[in-house]
mmCIF file of all heavy atoms in Angstrom:
data_model
loop_
_atom_site.group_PDB
_atom_site.id
_atom_site.type_symbol
_atom_site.label_atom_id
_atom_site.label_comp_id
_atom_site.label_asym_id
_atom_site.label_seq_id
_atom_site.Cartn_x
_atom_site.Cartn_y
_atom_site.Cartn_z
ATOM 1 N N VAL A 50 -17.029 87.655 16.291
ATOM 2 C CA VAL A 50 -17.667 88.931 16.132
ATOM 3 C C VAL A 50 -19.056 88.784 15.646
ATOM 4 O O VAL A 50 -20.030 89.431 16.142
ATOM 5 C CB VAL A 50 -16.900 89.815 15.091
ATOM 6 C CG1 VAL A 50 -17.718 91.025 14.678
ATOM 7 C CG2 VAL A 50 -15.534 90.206 15.678
ATOM 8 N N ALA A 51 -19.308 87.819 14.723
ATOM 9 C CA ALA A 51 -20.682 87.612 14.195
ATOM 10 C C ALA A 51 -21.618 87.017 15.328
ATOM 11 O O ALA A 51 -22.786 87.373 15.339
ATOM 12 C CB ALA A 51 -20.604 86.634 13.012
ATOM 13 N N GLN A 52 -21.029 86.171 16.195
ATOM 14 C CA GLN A 52 -21.864 85.627 17.295
ATOM 15 C C GLN A 52 -22.158 86.597 18.374
ATOM 16 O O GLN A 52 -23.192 86.563 19.023
ATOM 17 C CB GLN A 52 -21.135 84.366 17.865
ATOM 18 C CG GLN A 52 -21.245 83.188 16.930
ATOM 19 C CD GLN A 52 -20.516 82.007 17.596
ATOM 20 O OE1 GLN A 52 -19.589 82.179 18.338
ATOM 21 N NE2 GLN A 52 -20.974 80.829 17.263
ATOM 22 N N GLY A 53 -21.173 87.501 18.616
ATOM 23 C CA GLY A 53 -21.387 88.556 19.625
ATOM 24 C C GLY A 53 -21.290 88.001 21.057
ATOM 25 O O GLY A 53 -21.002 86.813 21.229
ATOM 26 N N GLY A 54 -21.583 88.834 21.988
ATOM 27 C CA GLY A 54 -21.720 88.436 23.367
ATOM 28 C C GLY A 54 -20.462 87.727 23.891
ATOM 29 O O GLY A 54 -19.306 88.263 23.849
ATOM 30 N N ASP A 55 -20.657 86.631 24.525
ATOM 31 C CA ASP A 55 -19.599 85.857 25.174
ATOM 32 C C ASP A 55 -18.500 85.408 24.181
ATOM 33 O O ASP A 55 -17.331 85.354 24.569
ATOM 34 C CB ASP A 55 -20.141 84.598 25.920
ATOM 35 C CG ASP A 55 -20.953 85.043 27.187
ATOM 36 O OD1 ASP A 55 -20.675 86.154 27.702
ATOM 37 O OD2 ASP A 55 -21.799 84.256 27.641
ATOM 38 N N ALA A 56 -18.867 85.010 23.033
ATOM 39 C CA ALA A 56 -17.913 84.468 22.039
ATOM 40 C C ALA A 56 -16.964 85.610 21.698
ATOM 41 O O ALA A 56 -15.753 85.356 21.688
ATOM 42 C CB ALA A 56 -18.636 84.048 20.787
ATOM 43 N N TYR A 57 -17.471 86.873 21.494
ATOM 44 C CA TYR A 57 -16.620 87.926 21.134
ATOM 45 C C TYR A 57 -15.737 88.318 22.358
ATOM 46 O O TYR A 57 -14.549 88.609 22.265
ATOM 47 C CB TYR A 57 -17.346 89.141 20.701
ATOM 48 C CG TYR A 57 -16.471 90.332 20.396
ATOM 49 C CD1 TYR A 57 -15.638 90.399 19.351
ATOM 50 C CD2 TYR A 57 -16.454 91.412 21.265
ATOM 51 C CE1 TYR A 57 -14.790 91.433 19.123
ATOM 52 C CE2 TYR A 57 -15.602 92.542 20.965
ATOM 53 C CZ TYR A 57 -14.776 92.411 19.917
ATOM 54 O OH TYR A 57 -13.963 93.557 19.652
ATOM 55 N N ALA A 58 -16.276 88.277 23.544
ATOM 56 C CA ALA A 58 -15.518 88.595 24.778
ATOM 57 C C ALA A 58 -14.346 87.624 25.035
ATOM 58 O O ALA A 58 -13.314 88.004 25.357
ATOM 59 C CB ALA A 58 -16.498 88.591 26.033
ATOM 60 N N ASN A 59 -14.676 86.372 24.752
ATOM 61 C CA ASN A 59 -13.609 85.319 24.923
ATOM 62 C C ASN A 59 -12.537 85.505 23.845
ATOM 63 O O ASN A 59 -11.344 85.389 24.143
ATOM 64 C CB ASN A 59 -14.255 83.871 24.816
ATOM 65 C CG ASN A 59 -15.100 83.525 25.935
ATOM 66 O OD1 ASN A 59 -14.886 84.115 27.048
ATOM 67 N ND2 ASN A 59 -16.021 82.581 25.749
ATOM 68 N N ALA A 60 -12.932 85.794 22.628
ATOM 69 C CA ALA A 60 -11.895 86.025 21.528
ATOM 70 C C ALA A 60 -11.033 87.218 21.873
ATOM 71 O O ALA A 60 -9.866 87.202 21.649
ATOM 72 C CB ALA A 60 -12.604 86.101 20.172
ATOM 73 N N SER A 61 -11.736 88.278 22.288
ATOM 74 C CA SER A 61 -10.967 89.451 22.613
ATOM 75 C C SER A 61 -9.987 89.291 23.743
ATOM 76 O O SER A 61 -8.873 89.791 23.725
ATOM 77 C CB SER A 61 -11.917 90.670 23.016
ATOM 78 O OG SER A 61 -12.653 90.997 21.821
ATOM 79 N N ALA A 62 -10.402 88.570 24.815
ATOM 80 C CA ALA A 62 -9.551 88.287 25.900
ATOM 81 C C ALA A 62 -8.410 87.406 25.523
ATOM 82 O O ALA A 62 -7.273 87.602 25.930
ATOM 83 C CB ALA A 62 -10.323 87.557 27.066
ATOM 84 N N CYS A 63 -8.657 86.461 24.669
ATOM 85 C CA CYS A 63 -7.563 85.581 24.138
ATOM 86 C C CYS A 63 -6.524 86.400 23.373
ATOM 87 O O CYS A 63 -5.282 86.264 23.532
ATOM 88 C CB CYS A 63 -8.218 84.448 23.248
ATOM 89 S SG CYS A 63 -6.928 83.293 22.690
ATOM 90 N N LEU A 64 -7.039 87.247 22.463
ATOM 91 C CA LEU A 64 -6.040 87.993 21.598
ATOM 92 C C LEU A 64 -5.418 89.100 22.389
ATOM 93 O O LEU A 64 -4.307 89.516 21.963
ATOM 94 C CB LEU A 64 -6.850 88.631 20.444
ATOM 95 C CG LEU A 64 -7.301 87.608 19.437
ATOM 96 C CD1 LEU A 64 -8.167 88.211 18.376
ATOM 97 C CD2 LEU A 64 -6.162 86.826 18.780
ATOM 98 N N ALA A 65 -5.953 89.525 23.473
ATOM 99 C CA ALA A 65 -5.334 90.599 24.351
ATOM 100 C C ALA A 65 -4.303 90.041 25.320
ATOM 101 O O ALA A 65 -3.546 90.802 25.848
ATOM 102 C CB ALA A 65 -6.379 91.363 25.103
ATOM 103 N N SER A 66 -4.282 88.733 25.494
ATOM 104 C CA SER A 66 -3.280 88.117 26.367
ATOM 105 C C SER A 66 -1.882 88.196 25.745
ATOM 106 O O SER A 66 -1.809 88.420 24.561
ATOM 107 C CB SER A 66 -3.676 86.595 26.529
ATOM 108 O OG SER A 66 -3.365 85.919 25.380
ATOM 109 N N PRO A 67 -0.928 88.101 26.608
ATOM 110 C CA PRO A 67 0.482 88.115 26.006
ATOM 111 C C PRO A 67 0.751 87.167 24.876
ATOM 112 O O PRO A 67 1.313 87.531 23.885
ATOM 113 C CB PRO A 67 1.345 87.891 27.217
ATOM 114 C CG PRO A 67 0.597 88.184 28.419
ATOM 115 C CD PRO A 67 -0.853 87.928 28.054
ATOM 116 N N LEU A 68 0.240 85.935 25.017
ATOM 117 C CA LEU A 68 0.461 84.994 23.889
ATOM 118 C C LEU A 68 -0.319 85.356 22.645
ATOM 119 O O LEU A 68 0.091 85.217 21.572
ATOM 120 C CB LEU A 68 0.013 83.566 24.362
ATOM 121 C CG LEU A 68 0.328 82.419 23.467
ATOM 122 C CD1 LEU A 68 1.797 82.338 23.255
ATOM 123 C CD2 LEU A 68 -0.144 81.119 24.013
ATOM 124 N N GLY A 69 -1.570 85.913 22.895
ATOM 125 C CA GLY A 69 -2.316 86.402 21.752
ATOM 126 C C GLY A 69 -1.715 87.536 21.044
ATOM 127 O O GLY A 69 -1.713 87.674 19.804
ATOM 128 N N THR A 70 -1.172 88.477 21.834
ATOM 129 C CA THR A 70 -0.496 89.635 21.241
ATOM 130 C C THR A 70 0.784 89.212 20.498
ATOM 131 O O THR A 70 0.987 89.728 19.358
ATOM 132 C CB THR A 70 -0.049 90.607 22.385
ATOM 133 O OG1 THR A 70 -1.275 91.031 23.038
ATOM 134 C CG2 THR A 70 0.567 91.911 21.796
ATOM 135 N N LEU A 71 1.445 88.232 20.993
ATOM 136 C CA LEU A 71 2.619 87.683 20.286
ATOM 137 C C LEU A 71 2.224 87.017 18.999
ATOM 138 O O LEU A 71 2.797 87.208 17.941
ATOM 139 C CB LEU A 71 3.351 86.694 21.146
ATOM 140 C CG LEU A 71 4.565 86.063 20.538
ATOM 141 C CD1 LEU A 71 5.671 87.066 20.278
ATOM 142 C CD2 LEU A 71 5.138 84.956 21.454
ATOM 143 N N ALA A 72 1.084 86.328 19.016
ATOM 144 C CA ALA A 72 0.590 85.699 17.836
ATOM 145 C C ALA A 72 0.144 86.705 16.754
ATOM 146 O O ALA A 72 0.465 86.615 15.552
ATOM 147 C CB ALA A 72 -0.558 84.773 18.108
ATOM 148 N N LEU A 73 -0.513 87.812 17.248
ATOM 149 C CA LEU A 73 -0.942 88.880 16.333
ATOM 150 C C LEU A 73 0.317 89.604 15.691
ATOM 151 O O LEU A 73 0.340 89.966 14.561
ATOM 152 C CB LEU A 73 -1.752 89.930 17.064
ATOM 153 C CG LEU A 73 -3.237 89.468 17.358
ATOM 154 C CD1 LEU A 73 -3.917 90.507 18.191
ATOM 155 C CD2 LEU A 73 -3.978 89.211 16.057
ATOM 156 N N ALA A 74 1.357 89.807 16.500
ATOM 157 C CA ALA A 74 2.569 90.442 16.003
ATOM 158 C C ALA A 74 3.258 89.510 14.991
ATOM 159 O O ALA A 74 3.733 90.029 13.923
ATOM 160 C CB ALA A 74 3.561 90.682 17.144
ATOM 161 N N ALA A 75 3.309 88.196 15.233
ATOM 162 C CA ALA A 75 3.965 87.295 14.287
ATOM 163 C C ALA A 75 3.101 87.283 13.001
ATOM 164 O O ALA A 75 3.692 87.217 11.888
ATOM 165 C CB ALA A 75 3.997 85.879 14.911
ATOM 166 N N PHE A 76 1.792 87.242 13.128
ATOM 167 C CA PHE A 76 0.918 87.276 11.942
ATOM 168 C C PHE A 76 1.099 88.539 11.122
ATOM 169 O O PHE A 76 1.219 88.502 9.913
ATOM 170 C CB PHE A 76 -0.585 87.118 12.411
ATOM 171 C CG PHE A 76 -1.573 87.148 11.352
ATOM 172 C CD1 PHE A 76 -1.463 86.193 10.233
ATOM 173 C CD2 PHE A 76 -2.614 88.010 11.292
ATOM 174 C CE1 PHE A 76 -2.417 86.148 9.261
ATOM 175 C CE2 PHE A 76 -3.570 87.994 10.292
ATOM 176 C CZ PHE A 76 -3.442 87.068 9.236
ATOM 177 N N SER A 77 1.164 89.686 11.791
ATOM 178 C CA SER A 77 1.302 90.942 11.054
ATOM 179 C C SER A 77 2.694 90.979 10.388
ATOM 180 O O SER A 77 2.809 91.399 9.249
ATOM 181 C CB SER A 77 1.134 92.171 11.933
ATOM 182 O OG SER A 77 1.982 92.158 13.030
ATOM 183 N N PHE A 78 3.763 90.562 11.077
ATOM 184 C CA PHE A 78 5.133 90.506 10.429
ATOM 185 C C PHE A 78 5.086 89.550 9.304
ATOM 186 O O PHE A 78 5.697 89.908 8.214
ATOM 187 C CB PHE A 78 6.188 90.115 11.459
ATOM 188 C CG PHE A 78 7.550 89.984 10.791
ATOM 189 C CD1 PHE A 78 8.261 91.103 10.521
ATOM 190 C CD2 PHE A 78 8.074 88.752 10.472
ATOM 191 C CE1 PHE A 78 9.508 91.005 9.881
ATOM 192 C CE2 PHE A 78 9.245 88.645 9.865
ATOM 193 C CZ PHE A 78 9.977 89.773 9.590
ATOM 194 N N ALA A 79 4.472 88.404 9.473
ATOM 195 C CA ALA A 79 4.454 87.391 8.334
ATOM 196 C C ALA A 79 3.781 88.009 7.110
ATOM 197 O O ALA A 79 4.202 87.789 5.981
ATOM 198 C CB ALA A 79 3.695 86.124 8.853
ATOM 199 N N LEU A 80 2.634 88.639 7.283
ATOM 200 C CA LEU A 80 1.975 89.298 6.166
ATOM 201 C C LEU A 80 2.772 90.314 5.446
ATOM 202 O O LEU A 80 2.883 90.302 4.224
ATOM 203 C CB LEU A 80 0.622 89.931 6.657
ATOM 204 C CG LEU A 80 -0.530 88.906 7.070
ATOM 205 C CD1 LEU A 80 -1.745 89.638 7.545
ATOM 206 C CD2 LEU A 80 -0.887 88.046 5.822
ATOM 207 N N VAL A 81 3.386 91.250 6.263
ATOM 208 C CA VAL A 81 4.221 92.272 5.651
ATOM 209 C C VAL A 81 5.454 91.681 4.910
ATOM 210 O O VAL A 81 5.713 92.050 3.774
ATOM 211 C CB VAL A 81 4.679 93.278 6.719
ATOM 212 C CG1 VAL A 81 5.636 94.306 6.205
ATOM 213 C CG2 VAL A 81 3.414 94.040 7.290
ATOM 214 N N TYR A 82 6.101 90.797 5.611
ATOM 215 C CA TYR A 82 7.338 90.225 4.971
ATOM 216 C C TYR A 82 6.969 89.441 3.725
ATOM 217 O O TYR A 82 7.604 89.545 2.669
ATOM 218 C CB TYR A 82 8.044 89.233 5.960
ATOM 219 C CG TYR A 82 9.243 88.624 5.325
ATOM 220 C CD1 TYR A 82 10.494 89.225 5.307
ATOM 221 C CD2 TYR A 82 9.093 87.354 4.728
ATOM 222 C CE1 TYR A 82 11.523 88.617 4.654
ATOM 223 C CE2 TYR A 82 10.169 86.796 4.127
ATOM 224 C CZ TYR A 82 11.385 87.391 4.097
ATOM 225 O OH TYR A 82 12.467 86.829 3.472
ATOM 226 N N HIS A 83 5.902 88.625 3.819
ATOM 227 C CA HIS A 83 5.532 87.759 2.719
ATOM 228 C C HIS A 83 5.085 88.670 1.483
ATOM 229 O O HIS A 83 5.439 88.352 0.335
ATOM 230 C CB HIS A 83 4.422 86.851 3.086
ATOM 231 C CG HIS A 83 4.318 85.579 2.276
ATOM 232 N ND1 HIS A 83 5.177 84.545 2.396
ATOM 233 C CD2 HIS A 83 3.403 85.237 1.309
ATOM 234 C CE1 HIS A 83 4.915 83.576 1.615
ATOM 235 N NE2 HIS A 83 3.873 83.975 0.883
ATOM 236 N N LEU A 84 4.408 89.731 1.760
ATOM 237 C CA LEU A 84 3.992 90.735 0.701
ATOM 238 C C LEU A 84 5.242 91.307 0.021
ATOM 239 O O LEU A 84 5.362 91.322 -1.224
ATOM 240 C CB LEU A 84 3.091 91.780 1.265
ATOM 241 C CG LEU A 84 2.794 92.933 0.285
ATOM 242 C CD1 LEU A 84 1.916 92.441 -0.856
ATOM 243 C CD2 LEU A 84 2.140 94.077 1.030
#
Side-chain angles (χ1 to χ4, degrees):
V50 169
Q52 287 179 330
D55 289 337
Y57 178 71
N59 291 336
S61 293
C63 182
L64 293 174
S66 72
L68 189 59
T70 304
L71 180 65
L73 287 173
F76 180 55
S77 60
F78 175 78
L80 288 176
V81 171
Y82 177 86
H83 206 74
L84 171 69

